[in-house]
Amino acid sequence: MTCENTTPITGEPIYRDLVVIGGGAAGLAAAASAYDNGVRDIVILEREGATGGILKQCIHNGFGLHRFDEELAGPEYALREAARVAERNIEVRLNTMVLSLTDDRRVVAVSPDEGLVEYVAGAVVLAMGSRERTRGMLGIAGSRPAGVYTAGTAQQFTNLRGILPGREVVMLGSGDIGLIMARRLVYEGAHVKMVLNRSHFSGGLKRNIVQCLDDYGIPLRLSHTITRIHGRARLTGVDVARVDPATKKPIPGSEEFVPCDTLLLSVGLLPENELTRAAGIAMDRRSNGALVDETLSTSAPGIFSCGNVLHIHDLVDFVSEEGDRAGESAARYLAGAEGAAGSADVVRVVPGDGVGYVVPQVVHKDAQGQVTFRFRSRDVYKKATIAVVADGEMAKTFRRPIVLPAEMESVKLPVEAFAGASELKISLDAEQVGARADQAAAAEPAEQLPEGAVAHDLVCISCPVGCMIHAVEQDGKIVSVTGNTCRRGLKYAEGEVLDPQRMVTCLVDVEESAMPASVRTERTVPKRLIPDVLAELRRVTLTKPVRCGDVVFENVCGTGVNVVATKDVL
Ligand SMILES: Cc1cc2nc3c(=O)[nH]c(=O)nc-3n(C[C@H](O)[C@H](O)[C@H](O)COP(=O)(O)OP(=O)(O)OC[C@H]3O[C@@H](n4cnc5c(N)ncnc54)[C@H](O)[C@@H]3O)c2cc1C
C-alpha cells in the first residue's frame, strides 16, 4: 500500500537561488559562506523552532576551539553561528519540514503557517544532520518496559526540559553522547553504574572518557554487552555478558544481572539521508552519506552535502568548516561552475586496509590546489602510517602516534601528488592495539625515574586532540613532560598532577520559566570543588531575561571564577 499526500501545494513554486535544508552548524555555516561568496537569495529551512540542531542540547563545554579559539558550550557555539546568519540578513524559515527533494532541485516543505510550499532552487545544500540508532536496530531480547532511551533523548529531557530520566543507570555504548550524558546524570544526582561497550575500544573521544567517566569513577567495561532487558511497566535490570573479541558474540554463561531503572543507548549516529536517497542521489554505503567530489557536490548537479548528513563528525568545528566549503561551492555553481560527483573524468578515492570510509569519494581530474580527505579508522592503531597510493604508486605518507575510530582523521594533499591517476587508495599501516591500550599507547614510560619521582600517564583534555602525556613529578614539581604536541599540554600536565581543574557546566532555574538556563564557569575551577559548585548553583534562581554571556553568579564557592549563561531565556 502506498500513502500519497493529497494536500494541495499552496501557490506557485517559489524560486530561490540557494535552499539550505537544516539549520544546524553545517547549514548555518553553508548559508553564511554562500552569502560571503556573493549569493544573496538564500533561505534556510529548519524543522525545529530554533536553529542550532544538536548543539542546543549539548550544554557541556568543548566546542569551538578550532573555529573561535575559545572553549564554548554547545548553545553558545550555535548562537555565534546563528548571529553570523542574522548579520547577513539571511532568511530562516523555522518549523518548516522538508518533505521531498528531486534531483532537479525542487524542494517541497510544510509549515504550520504556510502549509505545503514548493521551492525551485538554483542550488541546494543538504545539512540534515543525523539521528541515533535505537533499541529496535540492536535487537536486544526481553520485555519492552519504560526506562530505555537513546542517550540523545535522555540529553534532551535533562538539558532542555529539566527532567531526569532515571536514577540507577546503565549505559550501552560509549559514544560521545553517552559519555557526556553519564557525567550529566551524575551532576543531577543519578548513579551511573557502568558503561558497556561491545568492542574492545571506546566509541568516544579520549578526553570524554577522562572527564566524564574516570573523573567520577564510572567503570568502562569494554567487550561487554547487554543480552536481555527485564521489567514490565518499568525497567528493573539488564543481563550483562562478556563478548568474545574473536567472534564478537556474547560468551554463554558469562551473564550477570545488573539491577537498574534506566538503560541509555549510545550506539552510534546515522546520517539522516531519506531525502537524499529519494532524490536518486548516489550514496556511499560505507559512510552512509552521499557520494561527493572535492567541492562536496553530490551526483546531482547543484546539490551539495555537508556536516553529519554527509558523514558523522567528532567535532563541530569540522562540521562548520565543511559547511563553509559547501556554501562556497554552491556559490560557484550558481556563478556558472560545472561538474558533479557523477561526472566521468574523476579520480576514484577508495578506503584501503584499516580505513572505514573516505570523503570525498571522487576528485575531478582538473581540480586545483589541495584536497582534504577525511576518514575514520576501523580499529585502534598505534604508530600508524597513513599511506596514500595513486594507481599502485605511493603518493604520500603521513605519520600519527595513534589513530582511533572515535576520532575523524584527515590528510591534505596537493592535486599534483596524484595527477593522472584514476584511483587513490588511503590505507593504514600500523600496529593494532587492544583494550584501552589507546589510553597509554603513545606515552612510553620513562626508562629510569630519579629517586623519589612519580610518573603519571595522562590524557590531555585541553583540546579534543587528547594527546597522551607522560609526566614525571618530583618534590611537588613536574620535572619532565613528553607526548604533548603543543604548549597547552605542558601546562595541562602541570595542572593535572599538582592541582587538577575543570570547567563546570549545568542548569540553573529561571523564575517563571519552564526552561532552565544552561550555564558554565567562565574558567576552570579546582576539580575537587565540582560538587560544591553544583550545590551552590542548585540554590540559585535567575530572573528573566537571561542572555547568553550574562554573568549570573559571581565568585562561585570563593574561587574567584564567575558563572555565565550559555543560552538566552527571554
Ligand atoms: C551529544 C553530542 C556531543 C557532542 N560533543 C561535541 C563536543 O564536545 N565538541 C564538538 O566539537 N562537537 C561535539 N559534537 C559534534 C557536533 O556537535 C555535531 O557533529 C554537529 O553539531 C552536527 O551539526 P549538523 O549541522 O551536521 O547536524 P545537526 O546539528 O543534527 O543539524 C541538522 C539540522 O537539520 C534539521 N533537519 C533535519 N531534517 C530536516 C528536514 N527534513 N527539514 C528541515 N530541517 C531538517 C534538524 O532539525 C537539525 O536542526 C557532539 C555531538 C553530539 C550529538
Side-chain angles (χ1 to χ4, degrees), residues 166-476:
R167 298 225 158 255
E168 294 290 318
V169 183
V170 170
M171 179 94 62
L172 177 62
S174 58
D176 286 316
I177 315 181
L179 299 176
I180 301 274
M181 269 316 287
R183 177 181 61 185
R184 226 9 236 123
L185 293 174
V186 170
Y187 279 8
E188 293 298 328
H191 174 210
V192 181
K193 295 187 144 181
M194 61 184 74
V195 175
L196 310 164
N197 208 87
R198 196 181 181 97
S199 60
H200 66 86
F201 52 81
S202 161
L205 295 170
K206 292 188 293 288
R207 72 190 304 247
N208 286 337
I209 296 175
V210 173
Q211 301 184 97
C212 302
L213 301 189
D214 296 351
D215 273 4
Y216 302 95
I218 301 170
L220 172 60
R221 292 168 76 172
L222 298 170
S223 299
H224 279 76
T225 192
I226 288 174
T227 51
R228 184 165 288 275
I229 288 172
H230 298 272
R232 285 177 70 80
R234 178 83 196 192
L235 180 71
T236 53
V238 290
D239 287 346
V240 172
R242 271 188 290 123
V243 172
D244 182 337
T247 62
K248 308 239 182 323
K249 296 223 164 84
I251 301 170
S254 70
E255 299 88 356
E256 70 175 292
F257 177 75
V258 178
C260 58
D261 62 20
T262 306
L263 170 63
L264 298 191
L265 305 173
S266 177
V267 286
L269 299 170
L270 282 174
E272 196 155 334
N273 269 306
E274 283 71 16
L275 294 173
T276 323
R277 285 197 187 87
I281 289 170
M283 301 292 295
D284 178 351
R285 64 182 168 77
R286 297 186 182 96
S287 61
N288 285 312
L291 185 145
V292 291
D293 67 14
E294 73 284 0
T295 71
L296 302 180
S297 169
T298 66
S299 60
I303 302 183
F304 301 83
S305 180
C306 57
N308 275 1
V309 77
L310 181 59
H311 59 125
I312 301 300
H313 290 63
D314 51 353
L315 297 183
V316 70
D317 307 64
F318 302 137
V319 167
S320 300
E321 197 181 294
E322 224 170 66
D324 292 344
R325 177 93 174 120
E328 184 193 327
S329 299
R332 286 163 59 97
Y333 177 82
L334 287 166
E338 285 182 7
S343 48
D345 216 11
V346 292
V347 184
R348 283 189 333 114
V349 188
V350 294
D353 288 347
V355 173
Y357 71 82
V358 185
V359 170
Q361 295 86 349
V362 296
V363 177
H364 287 274
K365 289 194 170 162
D366 58 359
Q368 308 279 316
Q370 302 224 329
V371 181
T372 301
F373 297 97
R374 298 200 151 119
F375 61 93
R376 296 255 185 178
S377 69
R378 289 181 184 281
D379 210 320
V380 178
Y381 299 94
K382 71 170 180 173
K383 294 181 186 153
T385 302
I386 300 167
V388 185
V389 174
D391 284 350
E393 300 278 323
M394 186 67 75
K396 180 114 180 139
T397 56
F398 302 83
R399 300 225 177 262
R400 297 283 187 274
I402 192 148
V403 176
L404 308 167
E407 293 171 18
M408 197 173 73
E409 272 297 335
S410 69
V411 293
K412 214 177 227 185
L413 223 62
V415 288
E416 301 83 60
F418 51 92
S422 57
E423 186 189 90
L424 207 59
K425 186 181 272 184
I426 301 187
S427 320
L428 275 163
D429 182 16
E431 189 183 323
Q432 204 165 324
V433 296
R436 286 213 91 173
D438 54 316
Q439 292 283 310
E444 300 293 346
E447 281 176 12
Q448 273 197 336
L449 290 177
E451 209 179 305
V454 183
H456 301 265
D457 284 323
L458 310 166
V459 177
C460 180
I461 58 170
S462 309
C463 84
V465 172
C467 291
M468 277 157 288
I469 295 181
H470 187 73
V472 179
E473 173 199 1
Q474 194 177 23
D475 301 329

Side-chain angles (χ1 to χ4, degrees), residues 469-485:
I469 295 181
H470 187 73
V472 179
E473 173 199 1
Q474 194 177 23
D475 301 329
K477 288 199 186 101
I478 298 297
V479 291
S480 91
V481 176
T482 50
N484 57 307
T485 51

Side-chain angles (χ1 to χ4, degrees), residues 21-27 45-48 52-56 58 60-64 96-98 127-130 155 176-177 180 269 272 275 306-309 313-317 319:
I21 309 177
L45 306 178
E46 168 54 54
R47 68 184 169 194
E48 293 190 354
I54 194 77
L55 291 169
K56 298 195 291 290
C58 297
H60 60 282
N61 55 305
F63 299 83
T96 303
M97 168 93 180
V98 174
M128 291 91 74
S130 57
Q155 188 179 47
D176 286 316
I177 315 181
I180 301 274
L269 299 170
E272 196 155 334
L275 294 173
C306 57
N308 275 1
V309 77
H313 290 63
D314 51 353
L315 297 183
V316 70
D317 307 64
V319 167

